[in-house]
Amino acid sequence: MTTTEAGPTASLGTPGQQDAAPHGDAGHDHATYGYHQQKDEHLKRLRRIEGQIRGLQRMVDEDTYCIDILTQVSASTKALQSFALQLLEEHLRHCVADAAVEGGSEIDAKVEEATKAIGRLLRT
Amino acid sequence: MTTTEAGPTASLGTPGQQDAAPHGDAGHDHATYGYHQQKDEHLKRLRRIEGQIRGLQRMVDEDTYCIDILTQVSASTKALQSFALQLLEEHLRHCVADAAVEGGSEIDAKVEEATKAIGRLLRT
Amino acid sequence: MTTTEAGPTASLGTPGQQDAAPHGDAGHDHATYGYHQQKDEHLKRLRRIEGQIRGLQRMVDEDTYCIDILTQVSASTKALQSFALQLLEEHLRHCVADAAVEGGSEIDAKVEEATKAIGRLLRT
Amino acid sequence: MTTTEAGPTASLGTPGQQDAAPHGDAGHDHATYGYHQQKDEHLKRLRRIEGQIRGLQRMVDEDTYCIDILTQVSASTKALQSFALQLLEEHLRHCVADAAVEGGSEIDAKVEEATKAIGRLLRT
């Protein structure tokens, strides 16, 4: 965030540049998949969710009232969905947008893949 | 909305009418928004969903067993989600991909907007 | 609604009564399924949802921006879920509760049936 | 299942310890809330979900492709929903049915409470 790195879409802002290597260039072998920069935030979120799941085990173990457990399940599901949405946003911003810039048929495959993933999220 | 239009699909049933350029005027400059090509398919889907909702009214009116009504509600919700997914896919393929190709900051706004829409779908 | 019928749970409020025929007695052949009393409200809700679906057709027909259509889809789905929840509440209050009062194995079947219906709603 | 496998959380169980009647032993009058009998099954499910969440952290940490992570999120959400449904079924079968048998206004409160919990699950 405060680093001087050229982000994956940096070249888009410099139209005069020849853009010889739009992405995946040397030295960035796997600075991939968009969510890279938010990695720490993602891990923090997931550890919080893990804590919620352990809280659920404690609730079951201590015979907590069913409805209170269900409320906690809803909170965990919401946290998972929220994590998924953030991941999806980064995926669209990087992988899908990159495929569009590259041109060719790749964009169709990427969009279909993303839509299927959204469909799986919707159906759960 | 402020027009004197006869029902939503009225023009479809009156072939003799002049239907003076209700939208998509000369040149079709803004035959936009991706889903344009699937318009007929979308309308067909939505009319089928409308039929399902009318079916629900009939079921309530005829005192159908609650569980059977709930099953039909699930089917209608699924059909609506499926319509939304198709619309979203076209939106990503056209509007979002176009913004990526154009470059600039538009892509960020488009992706954020799409993600928010997905979030609203998830939360219903 | 305007009748003088004793509702299905009316006897609960009159402890002195002998409650000879707790439910399903002669003359009430199909004052059934709980949601009977809210019938008008249900029909009103469903007609409003039907109007929303027709609104969606108009939006598609007029080339409305995809995201605005998706927002309206979310609203319709939410309205359907809300209708389902109200129906479910009445079902639990009447059909399921009645089966519990009757005793026997009927309650297990009713609860399993209701849970499956909830599962179908969740998965859409 | 009947193996001697050391599960992912095996160390939590302090091997060597005899684990003499960890819970549910004689004299627990408030072994209530329906889900009591399935307690072990619930805990096993939740530990499996906890393992899935840890798997997600591993995936993020190893820069797994976004879409594959989203697929795993969907699986975890589905597992949580499935746990919630089982809990809900037991709640209806015991707490709600008991309130119905007892009579009085308790059943209304129980049904309203359960419906609200279902609504929270639906909206996530």
Side-chain angles (χ1 to χ4, degrees), chain A residues 5-10 12 22-23 31-38 42 86-102 106-107 110, chain B residues 96-97 100 107-108 111 115, chain D residues 65-66:
Chain A
E5 63 178 338
T9 56
L12 293 174
H23 37 64
T32 42
Y33 301 155
Y35 67 81
H36 181 75
Q37 297 170 335
Q38 276 81 19
H42 288 324
Q86 206 189 337
L87 210 66
L88 189 67
E89 182 165 9
E90 292 159 16
H91 180 66
L92 294 176
R93 203 181 300 268
H94 299 286
C95 309
V96 174
D98 284 359
V101 172
E102 269 183 64
E106 184 67 5
I107 179 69
K110 284 291 175 197
Chain B
V96 174
I107 180 67
D108 283 344
V111 163
T115 308
Chain D
Y65 184 48
C66 335

Side-chain angles (χ1 to χ4, degrees), chain D residues 57-93:
Chain D
Q57 293 170 44
R58 214 161 27 239
M59 291 173 98
V60 167
D61 201 51
E62 295 170 358
D63 293 318
T64 306
Y65 184 48
C66 335
I67 297 293
D68 295 330
I69 302 184
L70 289 176
T71 302
Q72 172 73 0
V73 172
S74 294
S76 306
T77 313
K78 191 169 284 193
L80 270 171
Q81 297 270 30
S82 176
F83 165 71
L85 267 184
Q86 206 189 336
L87 210 66
L88 188 67
E89 181 165 11
E90 292 159 17
H91 180 66
L92 294 177
R93 204 183 300 268

Side-chain angles (χ1 to χ4, degrees), chain A:
Chain A
M1 234 147 181
T2 58
T3 63
T4 57
E5 63 178 338
T9 56
S11 61
L12 293 174
T14 55
Q17 198 189 323
Q18 264 322 93
D19 204 324
H23 37 64
D25 47 2
H28 275 79
D29 284 333
H30 73 285
T32 42
Y33 301 155
Y35 67 81
H36 181 75
Q37 297 170 335
Q38 276 81 19
K39 212 165 164 171
D40 284 346
E41 200 193 324
H42 288 324
L43 288 173
K44 227 168 91 180
R45 263 171 187 264
L46 287 171
R47 274 193 288 265
R48 216 178 304 130
I49 295 171
E50 189 192 331
Q52 287 179 308
I53 307 297
R54 258 200 238 110
L56 280 167
Q57 293 171 45
R58 214 160 30 236
M59 290 173 98
V60 166
D61 201 52
E62 295 170 357
D63 294 318
T64 306
Y65 183 48
C66 335
I67 296 294
D68 295 329
I69 301 183
L70 289 176
T71 301
Q72 171 73 1
V73 172
S74 295
S76 306
T77 313
K78 191 170 284 194
L80 270 171
Q81 298 270 29
S82 176
F83 165 70
L85 266 183
Q86 206 189 337
L87 210 66
L88 189 67
E89 182 165 9
E90 292 159 16
H91 180 66
L92 294 176
R93 203 181 300 268
H94 299 286
C95 309
V96 174
D98 284 359
V101 172
E102 269 183 64
S105 64
E106 184 67 5
I107 179 69
D108 284 343
K110 284 291 175 197
V111 163
E112 196 187 328
E113 184 189 57
T115 308
K116 278 185 182 159
I118 298 165
R120 282 193 294 273
L121 288 172
L122 277 177
R123 258 176 281 285
T124 50

Side-chain angles (χ1 to χ4, degrees), chain B residues 1 5 7-9 11-12 23-24 30-36 39 42-43 46-47 49-50 53-54 56-67 69-71 73-78 80-81 83-85 87-88 90-91 95 110 113-114 117-118 120-121 123-124, chain C residues 30 32-36 38-40 42-43 45-51 53-71 73-78 80-81 83-85 87-88 90-91 95 110 113-115 117-124:
Chain B
M1 236 147 181
E5 56 175 351
T9 55
S11 61
L12 294 173
H23 43 66
H30 71 286
T32 44
Y33 301 153
Y35 67 81
H36 181 76
K39 211 165 165 172
H42 288 324
L43 288 173
L46 287 171
R47 274 193 288 266
I49 295 171
E50 188 192 332
I53 306 297
R54 259 200 238 109
L56 279 168
Q57 293 171 45
R58 214 162 27 239
M59 290 173 99
V60 167
D61 202 51
E62 293 171 357
D63 295 317
T64 306
Y65 183 48
C66 334
I67 296 294
I69 302 184
L70 288 176
T71 302
V73 172
S74 295
S76 306
T77 312
K78 192 171 284 194
L80 270 171
Q81 298 270 32
F83 165 70
L85 267 183
L87 211 65
L88 188 68
E90 293 159 17
H91 180 65
C95 309
K110 284 292 176 197
E113 184 189 58
I118 297 166
R120 282 193 294 273
L121 289 172
R123 258 176 282 284
T124 52
Chain C
H30 73 284
T32 43
Y33 303 154
Y35 67 82
H36 181 75
Q38 276 81 19
K39 210 166 165 172
D40 285 346
H42 288 324
L43 287 172
R45 262 170 187 263
L46 287 171
R47 272 193 290 265
R48 216 177 304 131
I49 294 170
E50 189 192 330
I53 306 297
R54 257 201 239 110
L56 280 168
Q57 293 170 43
R58 212 159 32 234
M59 290 173 100
V60 167
D61 201 51
E62 295 171 358
D63 295 317
T64 306
Y65 182 49
C66 335
I67 296 292
D68 295 331
I69 302 184
L70 289 176
T71 302
V73 171
S74 294
S76 306
T77 313
K78 191 170 283 194
L80 270 172
Q81 298 270 30
F83 165 71
L85 267 183
L87 211 67
L88 189 68
E90 292 159 17
H91 180 66
C95 309
K110 284 291 176 197
E113 185 188 57
T115 308
I118 297 165
R120 282 192 295 273
L121 289 171
L122 277 178
R123 257 174 282 284
T124 51

